[in-house]
Amino acid sequence: LTAWGDALTAAWSGDGRHLLVTRPAGRVPIPGGWRIATDLWAVPADGAAPVRLASDVTRPSPGPGSLVAFVRMDAAGQASLWVVDADGAPTRRVPTRIGPVDADTPPAWAEGGLVYTVQGRPYRAGDPVALALPPGRATPAPRGDRWAVLDDAGLLLVQPDGMTARVPGLPAPIDSVAWSSDGSVLACVAGRPPSQLWLVDAERATAQRLHAADSGFVGRPAWSPDQQYLLFASTPSGNQVNASAELWGWSPGRRAAPRRLTANETEESAPAWSPDGAQVAFLRAGDVWLVDAAALLAGALVDRAPRRAPPLAPALVAPSGQLTPPATIRVYHTHFEPLGTIEVVDFETYVKRVVPFEMPASWPAEALQAQAVAARSYGWYQAAIHAAADWDVTDWTEWQVCGPDDERDPRTDAAVDATAGQYVYHSGYPGRPICAFYSAEQGDPTESYGDVAYVRAVSDPVCFGQTREGHGWGLCQWGARRWAETYGWNYQQILAHYYTAVTVDLPAGPEPDVRAPLVGITDPWLGWYLTSNRALVAVNASDERSGIAQVSVVATYATTAGVTATLVSDNGTPVLWDLTGVPDQRLLDAAMTITATARDGAGHTSVTPAQVIGLDRHPPAVTATLTSADGLTLTLALTATDDGPGTQSGVTHVALSNDWRWEAEDVYTTYHNPANCGAVVTDTAALNGWAWWGQTGVHAPGDWYGPYAMDLPVGPDYLALFRLKTTAVTNTAEIARLLVGVNADETGAHILGLRSVRGIDVRAAGVYQEFGVRLRLAGPVTTGLEFIVQYRGVADVWLDRIVVVSDPTPLVSPVTWQRAANDRVLVKAFDAAGNPSPDAVIVTPWSHHVYLPLVLHQF
């Protein structure tokens, strides 16, 4: 119905002829700053031209027919009560007699007239005596016989006979309430994020939880006029989340859980039923839309609208090449006092007011520092692109939360001071920091954001198995804590892990350069094992004025001669480290360390602490013996060794498989043209003598799909092992990306696990190696599990097979296993570095075996 892109709220008029819509109308000066004025528009539901009804409107409330009540603020900040007719009658002020009304409580239409509040006490228009209701935000039921009153302690219900009862069990705070048409049930949003949707029996004053928004925030619910459906919006937690808001619905008659009704990459929020129940209005990316109610409930708004990349910002590059942060940022208050105002905040103070509201101050300092740099980059980005607007950010989650100055925390203040002015930068977006997306729990893997180069899906093993709570883009807040606590990562490595191909930079500094450069190791993963003969060493280095002159990395490792290796980079670009002559090193021995030194153009140096890594390139071995079989239950005796040269990490885990394996050469040539992205070849090194081959310069890059597996039991975790080889073992580029995904519903493929494979990750040229991808199969798979090799076309790659095993568990012997309808059981052992052993095969009598096909798709 509109093409504005800035609609704030929308509600139906009582006669169903209009949508009553609020829009921002510019800044209004007030003592000490500004506030945003809001206009009220009548948008005809038949598509006719919208008409502006009133200016400087707050908290509009539709009444009978075409009437609308609202609150208006004067220049002194005093609120008064007004009424306007959507059919065009003049705006008129409603006498209140008791003084200024409460600006933060919307007026309410009840039996007997219009109700407003003064200092928390409800009054009926024309009556100077307060209603016999407890203090608080009062909302009448449609028939006016019951009231819901929100106060600091929760929810009070006032019954028709005047009796008052507090509803127990509701978490605080309670954000919004919605009455059913007959006043028997109240839906309310309660609890701090992630918020929850509760149903309250108005007669018994009892509550039950209907929906917990593990992905973030529940919007104001809306009952259908016949009470057969309840609609609400759910928005993920994190910053920049509006695009991920979706509509959900629930029917009390179906006794089923709420379900998502929209699925795309555009906002749908604030649903509102037409008075006749035939249509639903909602907000979509700042505009008012209508949809047939039956079509919405049938899922008609599921689509694949493309996610738009953030816009570019104007150049802010200083002569030194570093960026200069803004001095201030303009914060529009939508949730914290003073509401509706624009506050100009010192920029670093703004970051200090964001961090404690986005991450617990008790978390590790390095996680807090990562949050500080992300929050600073995000706010800086928004200030840059909104320079011509009235304000830069709000104080709430559609941007990032900026709390009151008196609720800062010394620990988060220290994290901001320790990273003062630092920002995350990507060379493909010059002149500004990145739009640093983040949210609470991204899961494993994280998700890509459209075509934004710095927000690509990454494997995040510390978050494996976690339920996503947020949009999935960029920094994972819980992941930052885990990396800092468990592996000792610093904030630079955390940020470089979650944002792709970025640097953490110092801001531009004064002349002369007196500050030492910033330096931190970002690759390889600290506290982790290397399992190849080559490693890429990457260092984050930045200087505020004179630039980085040289970066050197010193690696120490244990040998009889006590060897030390030195790698030098002139500008911090990654350096290839040849490990062929280095003996394996146990991580627990802390014998292998890397240290980076950065020198700027003025001669100042900074040195990182020594970072421990491990090295183990030799897989273990395992033998398995069947000791007993009781129906489908097998008992196996296991013997595992780890006897390669050097100091081995030791066998730690074991996994089994009911021969869940798929051969790469079994393809459906009927449906696809495999000659364009690979070919079947004979290969004596392949386990069965055949492989699928992608040849550089001959075969186009493409996705090698398969096998659409349906026989994995739902519930357990699994490990998919892709057996690959290449000849390009010195190639630092990604030669393949391994994916496991599922098309479980109408929203499209969901990636359960991924792993990037570079040429240097393969130990030896022409030798097969297994690469694992963990996955959690939490729910039924209706269309099959997909195992995908994304062939990049930059090196020759051979795929022998894919085998799926149970998620590795600590090695014990004997072990019991439930076989399925097959005659082979595979056993794999794993060392502490994650290297898998060759197969140990148990053959048991059985009737048949089925291989599933590998299917090829080209892009």
Side-chain angles (χ1 to χ4, degrees):
L1 294 180
T2 68
W4 297 327
D6 61 359
L8 301 174
T9 63
W12 287 89
S13 62
D15 57 15
R17 296 173 53 227
H18 298 89
L19 272 302
L20 305 167
V21 182
T22 58
R23 299 178 62 194
R27 296 186 300 180
V28 176
I30 60 174
W34 303 275
R35 63 179 174 85
I36 294 292
T38 303
D39 286 349
L40 178 65
W41 289 71
V43 179
D46 61 7
V51 176
R52 189 172 67 171
L53 297 178
S55 61
D56 214 356
V57 170
T58 302
R59 312 281 183 185
S61 177
S66 55
L67 296 179
V68 189
F70 62 91
V71 173
R72 174 176 283 170
M73 306 287 292
D74 62 22
Q78 303 293 307
S80 52
L81 183 62
W82 295 72
V83 171
V84 67
D85 193 317
D87 282 333
T91 303
R92 60 183 177 88
R93 182 170 179 171
V94 179
T96 55
R97 301 183 183 179
I98 310 295
V101 302
D102 294 341
D104 59 350
T105 302
W109 296 87
E111 186 176 348
L114 187 59
V115 175
Y116 60 92
T117 63
V118 176
Q119 298 181 355
R121 304 292 300 190
Y123 293 82
R124 198 181 306 276
D127 188 345
V129 179
L131 297 177
L133 297 174
R137 194 172 68 190
T139 303
R143 297 176 182 174
D145 55 346
R146 286 194 177 96
W147 291 79
V149 180
L150 300 180
D151 60 15
D152 292 340
L155 172 63
L156 288 168
L157 288 175
V158 181
Q159 302 294 350
D161 60 3
M163 297 295 292
T164 300
R166 184 168 298 280
V167 180
L170 293 174
I174 298 174
D175 182 65
S176 59
V177 298
W179 285 100
S180 62
S181 57
D182 66 358
S184 64
V185 181
L186 189 70
C188 63
V189 177
R192 295 192 181 277
S195 53
Q196 304 163 15
L197 182 61
W198 289 72
L199 295 181
V200 176
D201 185 314
E203 295 182 1
R204 298 178 177 84
T206 58
Q208 67 178 58
R209 192 176 71 176
L210 176 64
H211 178 72
D214 56 11
S215 62
F217 306 86
V218 173
R220 180 182 176 88
W223 286 98
S224 62
D226 62 4
Q227 300 184 185
Q228 294 303 303
Y229 292 96
L230 181 68
L231 298 179
F232 60 95
S234 183
T235 306
S237 59
N239 64 350
Q240 197 84 14
V241 296
N242 276 1
S244 294
E246 303 288 3
L247 297 183
W248 288 63
W250 175 74
S251 173
R254 295 184 179 179
R255 299 185 179 275
R259 62 188 180 93
R260 187 170 56 178
L261 300 176
T262 64
N264 48 58
E265 295 166 348
T266 303
E267 170 206 4
E268 279 96 13
S269 63
W273 292 85
S274 62
D276 63 3
Q279 293 178 296
V280 174
F282 61 94
L283 295 183
R284 184 174 195 177
D287 280 305
V288 183
W289 289 67
L290 281 186
V291 64
D292 179 80
L296 174 64
L297 297 173
L301 292 190
V302 173
D303 65 42
R304 303 301 298 165
R307 183 177 288 135
R308 292 172 292 182
L312 295 177
L316 297 171
V317 183
S320 66
Q322 303 304 108
L323 306 183
T324 301
T328 59
I329 188 170
R330 298 164 300 170
V331 182
Y332 175 30
H333 285 279
T334 62
H335 280 72
F336 294 105
E337 296 292 345
L339 292 175
T341 65
I342 300 171
E343 181 185 10
V344 180
V345 184
D346 170 80
F347 188 66
E348 286 296 303
T349 301
Y350 165 76
V351 181
K352 291 179 178 179
R353 288 168 57 175
V354 168
V355 176
F357 282 84
E358 293 288 1
M359 181 176 283
S362 60
W363 283 15
E366 296 291 345
L368 295 176
Q369 290 173 26
Q371 177 65 71
V373 177
R376 181 183 296 110
S377 302
Y378 180 81
W380 186 340
Y381 170 91
Q382 298 297 340
I385 68 171
H386 292 114
D390 292 321
W391 46 272
D392 302 314
V393 294
T394 73
D395 61 1
W396 201 236
T397 57
E398 67 270 28
W399 307 94
Q400 56 187 2
V401 179
C402 173
D405 193 60
D406 59 3
E407 294 188 34
R408 287 160 46 183
D409 189 282
R411 294 165 292 185
T412 51
D413 279 0
V416 176
D417 290 335
T419 61
Q422 295 179 29
Y423 57 95
V424 188
Y425 183 77
H426 188 284
S427 60
Y429 303 80
R432 60 172 176 84
I434 69 169
C435 183
F437 300 96
Y438 60 85
S439 60
E441 184 73 83
Q442 311 287 50
D444 177 31
T446 65
E447 290 198 343
S448 297
Y449 183 89
D451 58 357
V452 179
Y454 52 80
V455 187
R456 313 311 300 161
V458 298
S459 175
D460 200 23
V462 298
C463 296
F464 175 76
Q466 300 295 328
T467 299
R468 179 167 289 142
E469 296 180 12
H471 47 51
W473 315 322
L475 174 71
C476 173
Q477 293 168 314
W478 273 98
R481 173 180 176 171
R482 296 181 189 115
W483 284 118
E485 284 184 339
T486 306
Y487 295 98
W489 281 19
N490 63 41
Y491 70 98
Q492 296 173 63
Q493 184 160 26
I494 292 170
L495 293 166
H497 169 62
Y498 285 111
Y499 302 110
T500 303
V502 299
T503 55
V504 181
D505 284 3
L506 291 172
E511 190 72 44
D513 188 343
V514 297
R515 183 174 177 179
L518 177 70
V519 63
I521 298 169
T522 58
D523 205 22
W525 287 6
L526 311 179
W528 215 260
Y529 271 99
L530 299 174
T531 60
S532 184
N533 283 314
R534 293 158 191 85
L536 201 63
V537 180
V539 176
N540 180 80
S542 176
D543 187 65
E544 61 181 353
R545 171 57 59 178
S546 57
I548 296 297
Q550 186 181 76
V551 174
S552 62
V553 178
V554 174
T556 64
Y557 45 88
T559 67
T560 55
V563 175
T564 298
T566 302
L567 310 170
V568 177
S569 170
D570 287 337
N571 56 8
T573 56
V575 176
L576 186 60
W577 182 15
D578 190 341
L579 295 162
T580 53
V582 179
D584 286 353
Q585 316 276 313
R586 280 208 328 161
L587 186 64
L588 293 178
D589 296 336
M592 191 173 195
T593 64
I594 52 177
T595 304
T597 301
R599 177 172 57 85
D600 67 15
H604 306 112
T605 61
S606 295
V607 183
T608 68
Q611 308 289 338
V612 177
I613 54 177
L615 178 63
D616 187 344
R617 296 154 294 183
H618 298 89
V622 65
T623 60
T625 304
L626 178 63
T627 61
S628 66
D630 182 8
L632 295 179
T633 302
L634 308 181
T635 302
L636 307 177
L638 306 179
T639 302
T641 58
D642 195 21
D643 298 330
T647 304
Q648 301 304 292
S649 60
V651 183
T652 58
H653 288 74
V654 67
L656 290 89
S657 169
N658 283 325
D659 207 14
W660 299 310
R661 62 187 171 95
W662 301 274
E663 299 297 339
E665 67 276 4
D666 294 333
V667 299
Y668 277 133
T669 58
T670 303
Y671 304 113
H672 304 283
N673 185 2
N676 287 340
C677 56
V680 175
V681 294
T682 59
D683 185 356
T684 57
L687 293 177
N688 70 341
W690 297 88
W692 184 264
W693 179 33
Q695 184 179 9
T696 307
V698 175
H699 299 129
D703 282 5
W704 302 348
Y705 274 86
Y708 299 101
M710 298 289 291
D711 55 350
L712 292 178
V714 172
D717 296 336
Y718 295 96
L719 179 69
L721 294 167
F722 293 71
R723 195 167 190 264
L724 303 170
K725 72 175 181 179
T726 187
T727 54
V729 294
T730 61
N731 193 333
T732 60
E734 182 182 73
I735 63 172
R737 175 164 284 209
L738 314 178
L739 302 176
V740 181
V742 59
N743 277 325
D745 57 29
E746 72 279 3
T747 64
H750 176 57
I751 302 301
L752 301 180
L754 69 79
R755 180 168 182 170
S756 175
V757 179
R758 298 177 293 190
I760 59 173
D761 295 331
V762 182
R763 284 189 284 267
V767 177
Y768 278 106
Q769 186 173 331
E770 289 184 307
F771 294 90
V773 178
R774 292 182 76 188
L775 62 137
R776 170 162 291 181
L777 199 57
V781 179
T782 58
T783 57
L785 200 62
E786 296 178 314
F787 298 84
I788 305 165
V789 176
Q790 292 185 330
Y791 170 62
R792 298 310 195 196
V794 299
D796 286 8
V797 176
W798 289 259
L799 173 65
D800 180 12
R801 70 164 191 190
I802 303 164
V803 64
V804 177
V805 299
S806 60
D807 198 46
T809 56
L811 175 64
V812 295
S813 182
V815 63
T816 59
W817 178 251
Q818 293 295 118
R819 71 174 179 177
N822 62 314
D823 56 3
R824 285 161 48 100
V825 173
L826 304 183
V827 182
K828 289 277 191 180
F830 298 83
D831 61 21
N835 294 307
S837 71
D839 299 349
V841 181
I842 297 293
V843 180
T844 59
W846 205 256
S847 58
H848 66 277
H849 182 79
V850 176
Y851 289 95
L852 297 184
L854 181 72
V855 180
L856 276 275
H857 293 286
Q858 183 183 353
F859 65 85

